Amino acid sequence: MSETARTVVFDTPGGPEVMRIEDRPLGEPGPGQLRIRHRAIGLNFIDTYQRSGLYPLALPHPLGMEAAGVVEAVGEGVTHLKPGDRAAYACQPPGAYTEARVMDAAQVCPLPGPISFEQGAAMMLKGMTVEYLFHRTTPLKRGDTVLFHAAAGGVGLIACQWARSEGITLIGTAGTDAKCRLALDHGASHCINYRSEDFVERVRDLTGGRGVDAVMDSVGKDTFDGSLDCLKPLGMMMSFGSASGPVPPVDIAVLGQKGSLKLTRPVLFTHLADHDTCQEMAQHLFAKVLAGDVTIRIDQRFPLDRVVDAHRALEARETTGSTVLEL
């Protein structure tokens, strides 16, 4: 009888309750593949988009985009990893909510010894997202100012530290005073409680009316229009998520009226599709962590059996930092 792995799958789009756990068979890796035994699994907002149907998947389908563990076997042509290596990844297709899996090896990265499996599982998708926002989307330099929404979340706390390490002023937003304090403690220069302040007015005040060089917005519908109003002329709007819902269609003429603004909808997996780029981004992230510039904060842990509770907490915005599923 073939070995199996407990795996979270869903058969129909919907709320957290549509997820269930089943035993799925594990095979041997083919050319360009490996088999990895997970030690920890990362939780991300994109998982909820896929489960809800906002990002459609062929059903039934497993969930999860990042994890860390130990390589058990490699297929022909895999040279950057070998059995027994510690490894971590963020990649398509979904399937990380499992004890073990066979997957393409190109986007799986060697995990440095000083970085724990939990840290690896919590940092790959979020940390490489920050890497491309700051280094691969628009030129940013020391002294620039960015507005970052959801600054106390998993991506946000990494972004706060990353900005501080590179001399970039980061103005964050969050939904409570406690979350604002958390962002400030992690390197944000300012943090705006959007429930008690108008973030557009406050950003204008903080920048002397000039606006920011770039906005990094994963919230989507609720913040998009205000984010454009926070930009200086020729500023860059990076819309990289839809936590509050998808952004409605945009009249491109508005970008000209507001100061010849630039708008992009970047996706991490476009960058990670190239093996060399993926490994380079991971090494950059690992270097930040090993140097102490970035600390990976894990504030919530759920056993795999409680994945429904984990999704409910994430969507209710009850989480801070990163969340991992334990095995």
Side-chain angles (χ1 to χ4, degrees), residues 172-249:
T173 70
T176 68
D177 290 342
K179 287 187 175 183
C180 283
R181 286 193 297 272
L182 190 59
L184 292 168
D185 289 345
H186 283 74
S189 301
H190 311 276
C191 195
I192 303 162
N193 183 339
Y194 61 80
R195 297 190 190 278
S196 59
E197 293 186 272
D198 182 318
F199 75 82
V200 178
E201 291 183 4
R202 185 70 176 129
V203 166
R204 286 290 169 180
D205 178 59
L206 290 169
T207 60
R210 293 184 299 276
V212 298
D213 297 281
V215 176
M216 301 174 181
D217 187 342
S218 64
V219 175
K221 175 175 64 69
D222 290 353
T223 52
F224 183 83
D225 291 338
S227 292
L228 292 181
D229 289 334
C230 290
L231 285 166
K232 64 173 55 173
L234 305 178
M236 170 63 83
M237 170 68 178
M238 308 178 202
S239 177
F240 70 100
S242 310
S244 67
V247 175

Side-chain angles (χ1 to χ4, degrees), residues 3-6 26 34-40 68-72 87 98-101 117 327:
E3 186 179 1
T4 61
R6 295 170 66 249
L26 276 175
L34 57 74
R35 187 174 70 242
I36 184 169
R37 177 73 51 178
H38 290 156
R39 298 290 181 86
V70 177
V71 176
E72 290 188 331
T98 184
E99 294 173 322
R101 69 188 293 199
F117 289 115
L327 296 163

